Amino acid sequence: MSLYDIIGYPFGFLMSWIYNFVGNYGIAIILFTVITKLLLFPVNYKTQKNSARMQLLNPKLEKLRKSYANNPTRLQEEQQKLYQQEGLNPMASCMPSMIQMLLLFGVLDVVYKPLTHILRFSKEVKTSAMDIASNILTGAGKDAIRSSDLRNELLTMEQLNAHPDKFSEIGENFKELVMEFSENFAVFGVNLGKTPDFSPEVWNKESIILFLIPWIAGIVQLAMTIYTQWHSKKNNPAMQNMGCMNIMFYSMPFLSVWFAFKVPAGVGYYWIWSSVFSFLISLGLNLYFTPERTKKINEKEKEKARIYAEKHPDKKSFYQKMLEQQQMMEQQQNGSASRTDANGNKISRSEMNKQNRERINDARKRMAEKYGDVYDNNDED
């Protein structure tokens, strides 16, 4: 069972309930997107809050970078102290982003697999139908449908709608149920199981709407990217020089247009609404986190961090542990080449290790004094 399946089944029950309630897949996708965005809202809120607080620290961080430009180790130590004073973890936005990415697997699984999550056919029936659809495609000189392809159910449905007589012998009323579902698997009368085409044989209502879905999806994503970049640069001018990253950000919407022409229209239709609601959520949170409100939130978070540090003086954050590990690795990698004192004189490895221990103990002592903890000089852990 893949990650898509593990996370997809809970979302599949949600999508099945919505579809059975409204009776139209196009409307069900919109409602499904709204509900999943609401479920993810706490994650988005936390990420946006952390980003807004980081913006308040940019002037102080920039000052530290200038002061310790030639001393990376001291810069990391000072940055760590600043983060602790502010009660801010620069890694805090990573976990919400990871959660959001994991949940995205489930959302996509639901959109890609209506035969599994909506009609709930057995694995044997789906495999038989996919084999028939593959034979139809290979007979026409096209590639067969691979079981590892996430689109296999939508592609199978596409072939059934084009050649229903080929699927008559499959059990569980497969042909009848899929054809009935296909009538509701539509928006503006267009079957979302069909794949958009750059050059359809006939330019009618259906082919035009199918052709527009990938472009609309790309335009909405591009608008989201432009707004996000504008807001980030407005609050963090240092991002003006991120040339390579900007190229990647702006190229993604165009790549999504190309990809949307390779998959059934239901996927592109979902992308449209997902981008629309993401844009609205991002806009709303940016309007909510004004500088004045962010300062008040920041003061509350600092106080919470101070109280927590007093109650758990020995507990280190993941970021602290990561920095200490990084410093130890750098010391090991530098080896004898960096065994010099502050005046540039060569020192032995044992002397260098002693100096490093003294720096670490000194930093711990300062933190203990700051939070009123008892400092044990013999504790080097």
Side-chain angles (χ1 to χ4, degrees):
M1 183 175 286
S2 68
L3 183 61
Y4 282 97
D5 296 322
I6 295 172
I7 306 176
Y9 273 100
F11 283 104
F13 283 107
L14 173 62
M15 183 63 175
S16 177
W17 179 83
I18 295 173
Y19 173 76
N20 291 328
F21 179 73
V22 300
N24 181 276
Y25 193 79
I27 297 175
I29 283 183
I30 298 175
L31 295 177
F32 174 78
T33 306
V34 171
I35 293 174
T36 53
K37 291 297 181 183
L38 290 175
L39 292 174
L40 288 171
F41 182 78
V43 177
N44 289 319
Y45 177 86
K46 188 173 182 179
T47 302
Q48 199 74 11
K49 181 181 71 173
N50 191 71
S51 177
R53 293 184 64 205
M54 283 293 294
Q55 290 171 6
L56 292 178
L57 284 187
N58 280 335
K60 295 180 180 179
L61 289 171
E62 187 61 29
K63 185 177 180 180
L64 290 177
R65 295 187 190 103
K66 292 179 180 179
S67 300
Y68 303 103
N70 299 322
N71 193 337
T73 302
R74 183 64 185 280
L75 174 61
Q76 287 184 342
E77 292 176 357
E78 295 300 323
Q79 285 178 332
Q80 181 179 335
K81 286 195 295 183
L82 178 61
Y83 290 138
Q84 289 172 337
Q85 292 169 2
E86 296 291 331
L88 181 62
N89 183 357
M91 305 292 291
S93 60
C94 295
M95 184 58 70
S97 298
M98 290 175 63
I99 295 173
Q100 199 164 6
M101 285 299 298
L102 286 173
L103 294 179
L104 182 60
F105 280 100
V107 173
L108 290 177
D109 193 67
V110 172
V111 175
Y112 278 115
K113 298 179 179 179
L115 300 183
T116 296
H117 298 297
I118 305 298
L119 299 178
R120 302 189 179 279
F121 288 114
S122 66
K123 183 178 180 181
E124 293 75 16
V125 166
K126 290 184 294 184
T127 301
S128 299
M130 188 179 71
D131 290 340
I132 294 173
S134 293
N135 292 333
I136 295 173
L137 288 171
T138 53
K142 299 179 181 179
D143 293 334
I145 301 174
R146 301 188 306 273
S147 59
S148 59
D149 191 338
L150 290 174
R151 305 170 297 165
N152 64 67
E153 292 190 11
L154 291 173
L155 294 173
T156 299
M157 288 177 57
E158 187 176 22
Q159 293 306 310
L160 184 146
N161 289 318
H163 309 278
D165 55 306
K166 302 284 186 179
F167 296 81
S168 299
E169 302 301 321
I170 300 180
E172 298 184 15
N173 295 321
F174 183 82
K175 185 185 78 170
E176 292 76 11
L177 290 174
V178 172
M179 291 186 69
E180 180 182 351
F181 174 73
S182 295
E183 294 179 2
N184 298 318
F185 192 65
V187 59
F188 302 120
V190 176
N191 190 327
L192 294 175
K194 292 187 175 182
T195 302
D197 195 340
F198 272 109
S199 54
E201 295 181 1
V202 179
W203 284 99
N204 52 25
K205 174 187 173 182
E206 181 178 67
S207 62
I208 291 173
I209 293 178
L210 289 173
F211 177 81
L212 289 176
I213 285 176
W215 292 107
I216 296 173
I219 290 171
V220 176
Q221 290 181 49
L222 181 61
M224 175 71 177
T225 300
I226 292 173
Y227 170 74
T228 302
Q229 291 296 95
W230 170 81
H231 185 268
S232 298
K233 292 176 181 178
K234 176 184 175 183
N235 293 279
N236 187 5
M239 292 186 63
Q240 295 285 348
N241 299 321
M242 296 175 61
C244 294
M245 291 295 292
N246 287 337
I247 292 175
M248 184 187 72
F249 287 141
Y250 286 111
S251 64
M252 290 303 295
F254 295 99
L255 287 175
S256 69
V257 172
W258 173 82
F259 189 74
F261 274 102
K262 302 293 183 180
V263 298
V267 177
Y269 182 75
Y270 164 74
W271 285 347
I272 291 173
W273 290 106
S274 179
S275 298
V276 167
F277 292 123
S278 293
F279 178 84
L280 293 176
I281 290 171
S282 180
L283 178 63
L285 287 174
N286 287 335
L287 292 174
Y288 175 79
F289 286 111
T290 60
E292 294 76 16
R293 181 175 281 117
T294 303
K295 288 179 181 178
K296 292 180 181 179
I297 292 174
N298 193 52
E299 291 302 319
K300 291 181 180 178
E301 294 294 330
K302 285 172 62 176
E303 182 63 17
K304 286 170 57 178
R306 185 189 66 79
I307 295 173
Y308 182 85
E310 289 179 352
K311 292 181 179 179
H312 308 86
D314 298 326
K315 192 168 184 179
K316 300 178 183 177
S317 68
F318 174 77
Y319 181 67
Q320 289 174 290
K321 295 177 182 178
M322 185 184 70
L323 281 181
E324 289 186 4
Q325 185 67 25
Q326 181 180 343
Q327 289 171 358
M328 292 176 61
M329 291 177 63
E330 288 176 352
Q331 292 168 8
Q332 294 173 359
Q333 291 173 357
N334 290 336
S336 59
S338 62
R339 295 204 296 268
T340 58
D341 60 17
N343 298 319
N345 300 319
K346 290 185 178 181
I347 60 176
S348 66
R349 183 181 293 275
S350 61
E351 290 175 330
M352 181 184 70
N353 290 336
K354 180 181 178 181
Q355 290 181 3
N356 290 333
R357 286 196 298 271
E358 289 175 350
R359 292 193 190 99
I360 293 174
N361 289 336
D362 183 57
R364 290 176 177 173
K365 182 178 180 180
R366 292 198 301 268
M367 290 305 300
E369 291 174 349
K370 175 179 177 60
Y371 293 109
D373 188 27
V374 177
Y375 173 70
D376 186 357
N377 190 49
N378 296 319
D379 183 11
E380 295 183 3
D381 296 329

